[in-house]
Amino acid sequence: MATLQQNVAEKFLAKLKDGKSLDAEKVEQLRKLLTDSKKPKAEDFIKIFTAPAGGDVK
Amino acid sequence: VIKLETAHIEEVRGIRKLDIDFRKETFAISGPNGSGKSGVIDAIEFGLTGQIGRLTGRGTKGLSVAEHGPHVDKIKFPDAAFVELKVFIPALGKSATITRKVSAPKKPKIVPADPDVKAALDEIADHPEITLSRREILRFILVEPAKRSEEIQTILKVEEIGDTRGALNTAQNKLQTALRTAAAQVDSSRDVLQRHLQIPTFQAAELLGAVNQRREALGLPKIEKLTADTKLDAGLAGSGKAPEFNKQSALRDLKALSDATATFSDLGKAEATLVLTGISRLEADPALLDALQRRSLIEKGLDLVDGPECPLCDQLWDDEQHLREHLKAKLAKSEEAGKLQQALLKEGAELGRHVVRALGFLGQPLKIAESQGDGDFARLLTDWMKELGELKAPLTNLDGLLGLKDRLKSGWLEAPKAFQKNLAALTRKVEAIPDQTATLDAQTFLATAQLRLGDYREAMRKNKAAEIASTSAKAAYDAYCRAMEDELNALYDDVQEDFSTFYRTINEDDEVKFTAKLTPSEGRLDLDVNFYERGLFPPGAYHSEGHQDGMGVCLYLALMKRLFGDRFNIALLDDVVMSVDSGHRYPIL
């Protein structure tokens, strides 16, 4: 049975995907963070939000 | 989940030595007060989870499993206090024995030590809510709505979701602050460019007008349209290299700095006053200051919690959840301090923007001083810029602001001694330089314009990136809040339905039309129950004590169903049906 946290995370990611405010790559990074870490920190999120769109290859 | 087969209890709570054969069945214990009924519950709970609920949580300050878990005559010998449970795990079809000593509550001996057995017992250890006492029933039946919301969310382990929401909120606030700083940098670099171009408004047409006037003088083609790739000095010999000194522009930069420093004494005065007022309030109220400093410390500690050991004092708690609750309760107590902290940090952020603005006036004069060989003034400006730059960090946190108290009292942006004298000397030196020829003036004008346009574009690029990051963070925070609200509302709907069904089942003789309503709202969870079809009222309004206890059990069962689903098959109920009459008690069991 999926936990409440998992359900919230799934809905959260689905809303982001529908909302188009974040690109697909960032949504995927958020999915990985929420899957890998039970207690993600603010700095973890900041790293994702500040990453250049389309990857960090310059 | 599991079923109990046997228990062997030694020197735990009020029990010296006891063996019980549960036979995997529902088991009830009765006896006079003080005979050890609750001690059996404590011992089984300890055996399964390493905790004793009665010794933790509200109203249990000073109590601990280590000190008060052993029998009162064995306080000095916690090694003698232990529980051995034989359990059956239906999903695995296996029996296992778990032995746990009070002296080592986190290191049970499990036989067989199979990974699947261990995982099943770890799951139980992670759910101390399998034990329910009458006192806990009151926590979600008779409690005020705000507290009920908190208690139920704790049982459902919603705090982890709350922690994620908190982290997203912190991220969004930090990125908002970063965006403000980036915007201030854009303003500053635009001012520097506009000052050089001498245009009244920052419009592409005006910029091109000023630039083309010089290009025409140099016989260079006009620039028709300003695009992101446009080079204002295109075609100029040595284009892209560091520009030579432009006398008129340099004089304007020096004058701008002179004018600006005259206003520095008033810059951020209102914000500095508000910060100082806040600091005075803290100094007049040591308890508030203490709460604020502790708050800052506790916030850091809460962020670092990763297990039952407190990261602030190394104290080992029974489990991480209790440690978190303890720290959160401390934060809740300092709400007033929290509001003051927010206000101080807001003013600090504004002061930070003034610092960026001030730094914007100093950059160009430093280059002029260096180009004119004025080493003393260049060093003074370098040191001042470094000092102002170092103000940015302390302005973003409470300890930093407290440390800036004396600085903020007067002239926090005040120029160093000898600044005016050096500035005047450099200005005179530049004024004394023979006017540049029209050609050289036009050349250096274009080269300087291109360099400053580059700085402006870079500031714009960073601001755009900061804007995207800030917008993303806000969108994510809002989406998480909505997802959390949707999920909790759905959960409460299910709990409400199950709760009503369970209660109707145990009261089928006289409350077959019983309904209940859980209404979540901002930080509250209202519970109203139908009193014999007279309408919805709080549980404590008209229902008897016995009915209220029955409701408590039903709400508990509904919550457990959400946690474990159909696997829920063990609960340790301590006195929870004490006031429920026998006719209504049996359906519960």
Side-chain angles (χ1 to χ4, degrees):
Chain A
M1 191 173 79
T3 65
L4 193 63
Q5 294 92 306
Q6 287 165 336
N7 289 340
V8 171
E10 281 308 316
K11 277 199 173 138
F12 162 61
L13 295 165
K15 281 178 194 292
L16 286 182
K17 210 172 167 185
D18 293 345
K20 314 266 186 223
S21 299
L22 274 79
D23 61 51
E25 197 172 339
K26 280 194 170 57
V27 176
E28 194 47 45
Q29 286 172 343
L30 286 170
R31 178 187 302 282
K32 190 168 181 331
L33 175 63
L34 293 173
T35 307
D36 293 351
S37 170
K38 273 178 84 178
K39 294 171 216 156
K41 308 275 185 227
E43 293 308 318
D44 298 328
F45 288 117
I46 288 174
K47 204 171 165 188
I48 293 173
F49 297 137
T50 53
D56 56 2
V57 178
K58 292 177 182 169
Chain B
V1 181
I2 63 163
K3 291 188 174 189
L4 290 173
E5 293 190 26
T6 62
H8 174 78
I9 305 164
E10 272 194 49
E11 305 293 2
V12 175
R13 302 293 287 157
I15 300 166
R16 302 307 305 249
K17 193 182 236 182
L18 179 68
D19 284 286
I20 305 174
D21 186 358
F22 296 108
R23 299 173 191 172
K24 302 185 214 169
E25 292 172 1
T26 301
F27 197 88
I29 303 173
S30 64
N33 288 348
S35 58
K37 303 183 295 296
S38 294
V40 172
I41 297 286
D42 292 344
I44 297 170
E45 182 188 8
F46 174 73
L48 291 173
T49 69
Q51 301 173 41
I52 297 178
R54 266 201 294 169
L55 300 181
T56 55
R58 228 182 9 249
T60 58
K61 195 176 178 185
L63 300 181
S64 71
V65 173
E67 285 185 54
H68 308 100
H71 187 275
V72 68
D73 293 338
K74 291 286 180 183
I75 291 171
K76 304 282 185 198
F77 309 98
D79 228 24
F82 72 95
V83 177
E84 184 178 287
L85 301 171
K86 189 176 178 196
V87 302
F88 177 70
I89 307 165
L92 305 178
K94 291 181 182 177
S95 288
T97 304
I98 177 167
T99 308
R100 202 184 292 262
K101 290 183 176 181
V102 171
S103 57
K106 296 292 170 195
K107 294 177 182 167
K109 184 182 168 195
I110 296 172
V111 180
D114 301 349
D116 53 358
V117 169
K118 205 171 165 305
L121 293 174
D122 280 350
E123 187 191 14
I124 284 291
D126 204 30
H127 286 283
E129 58 278 356
I130 56 167
T131 303
L132 180 73
S133 69
R134 185 161 191 267
R135 185 171 59 169
E136 284 166 315
I137 278 191
L138 303 181
R139 276 168 37 180
F140 40 81
I141 291 295
L142 294 181
V143 77
E144 66 269 29
K147 211 72 195 156
R148 177 183 296 116
S149 171
E150 200 177 294
E151 298 287 1
I152 288 183
Q153 291 193 3
T154 299
I155 282 188
L156 293 170
K157 297 193 178 298
V158 175
E159 75 272 17
E160 279 178 17
I161 303 172
D163 289 345
T164 301
R165 182 174 65 166
L168 277 164
N169 194 25
T170 303
Q172 110 165 306
N173 288 336
K174 284 189 174 179
L175 290 173
Q176 181 67 34
T177 302
L179 175 59
R180 285 199 203 104
T181 303
Q185 196 64 54
V186 169
D187 290 346
S188 174
S189 58
R190 186 181 53 222
D191 288 348
V192 169
L193 175 58
Q194 195 172 346
R195 187 162 64 238
H196 172 69
L197 295 170
Q198 287 290 284
I199 52 177
T201 59
F202 198 66
Q203 299 293 329
E206 289 191 12
L207 182 149
L208 288 179
V211 166
N212 284 331
Q213 185 190 332
R214 272 75 179 187
R215 290 183 67 84
E216 206 174 352
L218 295 170
L220 294 170
K222 280 175 70 176
I223 297 172
E224 300 295 342
K225 193 178 174 191
L226 185 66
T227 68
D229 300 325
T230 302
K231 284 190 180 302
L232 304 179
D233 60 350
L236 198 66
S239 166
K241 288 185 183 171
E244 281 188 46
F245 174 83
N246 180 282
K247 181 183 170 185
Q248 295 309 316
S249 184
L251 286 173
R252 283 195 293 274
D253 287 334
L254 294 175
K255 183 172 186 314
L257 176 59
S258 178
D259 292 347
T261 47
T263 66
F264 276 9
S265 57
D266 289 330
L267 207 57
K269 205 171 182 178
E271 293 90 340
T273 303
L274 286 169
V275 171
L276 288 169
T277 305
I279 293 176
S280 299
R281 206 177 134 202
L282 290 172
E283 286 173 342
D285 185 352
L288 189 62
L289 178 61
D290 186 49
L292 201 54
Q293 284 172 330
R294 279 173 187 271
R295 188 178 174 85
S296 172
L297 183 70
I298 292 166
E299 279 175 344
K300 281 179 198 154
L302 200 52
D303 205 35
L304 292 171
V305 169
D306 188 21
E309 191 175 65
C310 178
L312 302 175
C313 67
D314 294 339
Q315 185 188 328
L316 189 64
W317 285 70
D318 287 336
D319 64 39
E320 184 180 325
Q321 186 183 332
H322 282 95
L323 169 58
R324 282 182 172 276
E325 282 173 21
H326 173 74
L327 292 175
K328 282 180 181 173
K330 279 186 176 292
L331 276 182
K333 275 183 198 164
S334 58
E335 200 178 335
E336 186 189 354
K339 283 181 183 165
L340 181 58
Q341 182 180 16
Q342 289 300 316
L344 286 171
L345 292 179
K346 180 172 168 280
E347 302 308 330
E350 287 303 311
L351 290 172
R353 289 180 61 201
H354 289 309
V355 169
V356 172
R357 184 168 159 70
L359 283 167
F361 284 103
L362 296 171
Q364 297 307 322
L366 172 61
K367 287 179 187 168
I368 298 166
E370 285 170 343
S371 73
Q372 295 305 306
D374 190 343
D376 287 346
F377 194 36
R379 270 189 297 281
L380 182 149
L381 288 172
T382 303
D383 291 347
W384 191 17
M385 288 174 77
K386 184 167 177 266
E387 194 214 1
L388 288 178
E390 285 170 355
L391 278 178
K392 286 186 199 169
L395 287 171
T396 63
N397 64 73
L398 182 69
D399 289 340
L401 284 169
L402 292 173
L404 290 175
K405 180 187 156 193
D406 290 337
R407 176 78 187 255
L408 294 174
K409 273 184 182 168
S410 66
W412 72 287
L413 275 179
E414 202 170 319
K417 278 182 183 173
F419 168 78
Q420 290 298 346
K421 193 177 135 197
N422 279 314
L423 178 62
L426 181 61
T427 305
R428 282 196 299 277
K429 193 171 181 181
V430 174
E431 282 171 341
I433 295 170
D435 283 346
Q436 293 168 313
T437 63
T439 301
L440 186 58
D441 176 71
Q443 287 171 339
T444 53
F445 180 93
L446 290 179
T448 302
Q450 175 57 35
L451 192 74
R452 295 187 184 190
L453 179 62
D455 290 345
Y456 172 71
R457 282 171 171 159
E458 178 61 11
M460 284 290 283
R461 191 192 61 73
K462 285 183 177 167
N463 185 56
K464 185 71 191 165
E467 198 176 297
I468 291 170
S470 177
T471 306
S472 299
K474 186 175 184 321
Y477 174 71
D478 290 346
Y480 198 87
C481 288
R482 286 200 306 277
M484 188 173 164
E485 197 180 319
D486 289 352
E487 195 60 26
L488 280 177
N489 285 343
L491 181 150
Y492 290 140
D493 281 348
D494 289 345
V495 168
Q496 171 185 297
E497 189 57 39
D498 288 336
F499 166 57
S500 302
T501 305
F502 294 158
Y503 188 80
R504 280 195 298 269
T505 304
I506 65 170
N507 293 281
E508 59 185 1
D509 55 336
D510 62 347
E511 288 201 77
V512 287
K513 292 190 176 174
F514 175 85
T515 54
K517 186 154 182 60
L518 277 169
T519 315
S521 55
E522 189 69 34
R524 294 166 56 96
L525 185 61
D526 287 283
L527 170 63
D528 291 299
V529 294
N530 198 327
F531 183 71
Y532 297 96
E533 298 173 66
R534 268 41 166 223
L536 290 166
F537 304 95
Y542 298 112
H543 277 92
S544 69
E545 289 276 310
H547 283 105
Q548 288 171 29
D549 281 5
M551 283 179 206
V553 176
C554 292
L555 185 52
Y556 169 78
L557 293 174
L559 292 169
M560 289 301 103
K561 188 177 168 188
R562 292 297 303 175
L563 265 183
F564 293 102
D566 294 335
R567 297 181 306 128
F568 177 57
N569 58 10
I570 180 167
L572 307 172
L573 307 179
D574 185 7
D575 268 353
V576 295
V577 288
M578 189 175 70
S579 56
V580 179
D581 59 46
S582 58
H584 294 110
R585 194 182 303 152
Y586 282 111
I588 293 175
L589 301 175

